[in-house]
Amino acid sequence: MNNSNLEQIKKYLLLFAFFTAAGLILWGSGYIVSGLKNDAYLQEAVYIIKKSPITSEYQEVKFVKNLSPSSLNMNFCNAVFEVEMKEKKGYAAFFNMSGKYGMYQGLFLYFKGERKCLFCGLGGGIADKPAVYYGITPLTISIAEHKLESAFEKLEINNKEEK
């Protein structure tokens, strides 16, 4: 090999190393940000459970672990958590809903034995006011509850088939 070929190989290797390093930096920062996002959703869920007047009987809910919505085929949810309350097990999910002033994220609880979804409140530090105040109608909440109920029932069926 002559010197001009070696110089070109060095340039291409340098360019390859640059793009590889940039890709790894982007992947790593995305991984870190997703962890921070899940922590923020968890803190918001705890806040809603404690402050919302709707969830007074669900104060003892414990968040067991974070689940990936995409792995559950629930891409319409922003975050999904596995929850426990006494002997009941279930899920908590954040769901986007359109209101009077824009999009809001509602927290919903679903317990496996009850097979019913419960709207808990709106995320963003506004759980102390009713959803109607922000333009979220009971019909919007009902549609979200039915969508989540069917998704969680499918998830339960898939889990039973895997066992």
Side-chain angles (χ1 to χ4, degrees):
M1 284 192 170
N2 56 22
N3 284 341
S4 65
N5 287 344
L6 284 176
E7 289 298 320
Q8 281 189 336
I9 289 173
K10 286 180 184 178
K11 287 180 185 177
Y12 286 124
L13 282 176
L14 186 62
L15 186 64
F16 176 75
F18 172 76
F19 282 118
T20 302
L24 288 173
I25 289 170
L26 287 174
W27 175 79
S29 62
Y31 184 76
I32 290 170
V33 167
S34 70
L36 295 174
K37 180 183 81 163
N38 291 333
D39 288 343
Y41 277 120
L42 179 61
Q43 290 175 358
E44 189 62 33
V46 170
Y47 175 82
I48 291 171
I49 294 293
K50 298 225 181 297
K51 296 291 183 181
S52 178
I54 303 170
T55 59
S56 60
E57 61 190 57
Y58 295 99
Q59 296 291 317
E60 298 164 4
V61 168
K62 293 180 185 171
F63 293 87
V64 178
K65 71 177 182 180
N66 181 26
L67 303 172
S68 172
S70 59
S71 68
L72 302 173
N73 291 329
M74 296 176 66
N75 293 329
F76 50 85
C77 289
N78 297 323
V80 179
F81 300 98
E82 196 172 299
V83 296
E84 286 182 354
M85 187 178 86
K86 297 177 184 171
E87 68 279 346
K88 294 191 261 183
K89 292 185 178 187
Y91 302 99
F94 278 98
F95 187 85
N96 281 342
M97 296 182 296
S98 180
K100 186 176 181 181
Y101 305 109
M103 295 297 288
Y104 294 96
Q105 296 179 10
L107 178 68
F108 293 85
L109 283 177
Y110 174 86
F111 289 105
K112 294 178 182 178
E114 296 175 5
R115 293 188 179 263
K116 183 165 180 7
C117 218
L118 169 76
F119 173 71
C120 298
L122 297 174
I126 56 175
D128 53 343
K129 292 188 179 177
V132 176
Y133 181 80
Y134 297 99
I136 306 288
T137 64
L139 178 63
T140 305
I141 293 171
S142 176
I143 290 170
E145 287 174 341
H146 289 301
K147 187 170 185 175
L148 286 169
E149 282 172 14
S150 64
F152 285 129
E153 286 172 9
K154 286 179 188 175
L155 179 64
E156 284 185 50
I157 291 169
N158 290 340
N159 287 343
K160 287 180 184 177
E161 288 176 358
E162 290 177 2
K163 292 181 183 178

